[in-house]
Amino acid sequence: DGGITQSPKYLFRKEGQNVTLSCEQNLNHDAMYWYRQDPGQGLRLIYYSQIVNDFQKGDIAEGYSVSREKKESFPLTVTSAQKNPTAFYLCASIPGGTVSNQPQHFGDGTRLSIL
Amino acid sequence: GQNIDQPTEMTATEGAIVQINCTYQTSGFNGLFWYQQHAGEAPTFLSYNVLDGLEEKGRFSSFLSRSKGYSYLLLKELQMKDSASYLCAVRLSGYNKLIFGAGTRLAVHP
């Protein structure tokens, strides 16, 4: 079955530590996205990538970094510069690199907490 | 700037009908999506509107008025499993970026 796999499901970060959240999709989608969701709030865009080897900052990119070396993979690193990383992180993808009327497909999310 | 407003919480009775409103002010518009999200889970797609009017999908319908910057999601024959958050999201022109509202938390009571 095709889908988006995020791992781990739960992650704990120590002070000063960088952590990487994995997102893999086997849907052959061109565009991939990372969102952050805080309790009682909507999703906020961190980074997105329309094609391999290219990505753009979203609305809250500070303290985060990404790479897109392969079409199926879009890992997110939460750096020590992100002072409030506790949140639910969602990865999404969509077919086609240009504007599409297809909905974004989401992974099951990673819940990150500070130790 | 981009702004999407939804009511924070709503309650309804099993078997009833509920309407969840969404108003938006965005720099450009290229479609509006509704998603359902159960607590701790990923959002799942419910409906998409890009032209004015009503789209019906079983127990769920969604309406759009682009001139008013307004949409609603209508849920009929409510079931307990419909208790969830409902997210309104606008796609901006020329991009596949979505701007999400904060979501409406719906509680369905027996």
Side-chain angles (χ1 to χ4, degrees), chain B residues 13-84:
Chain B
T13 305
E14 195 175 13
I17 299 173
V18 71
Q19 177 175 311
I20 302 174
N21 295 325
C22 171
T23 57
Y24 62 89
Q25 292 174 305
T26 57
S27 55
F29 175 88
N30 198 19
L32 187 144
F33 294 84
W34 282 96
Y35 284 86
Q36 180 191 60
Q37 186 180 27
H38 286 97
E41 297 182 9
T44 55
F45 169 71
L46 289 177
S47 70
Y48 170 71
N49 296 72
V50 67
L51 299 176
D52 290 351
L54 189 69
E55 294 282 341
E56 297 188 78
K57 257 190 186 182
R59 294 191 300 115
F60 296 82
S61 304
S62 58
F63 172 83
L64 175 67
S65 169
R66 289 172 296 171
S67 62
K68 295 181 179 177
Y70 167 70
S71 173
Y72 68 72
L73 180 70
L74 195 70
L75 293 76
K76 303 174 188 173
E77 300 168 16
L78 281 171
Q79 303 175 10
M80 298 297 290
K81 67 179 182 180
D82 297 329
S83 292

Side-chain angles (χ1 to χ4, degrees), chain A residues 26-57:
Chain A
N26 60 2
L27 299 166
N28 200 34
H29 287 175
D30 289 306
M32 297 185 74
Y33 305 80
W34 273 107
Y35 294 94
R36 169 183 172 137
Q37 187 175 33
D38 293 282
Q41 296 190 31
L43 281 63
R44 291 184 291 167
L45 184 64
I46 305 173
Y47 268 98
Y48 64 106
S49 169
Q50 304 273 33
I51 56 172
V52 175
N53 292 322
D54 186 50
F55 50 83
Q56 288 81 38
K57 292 182 179 179

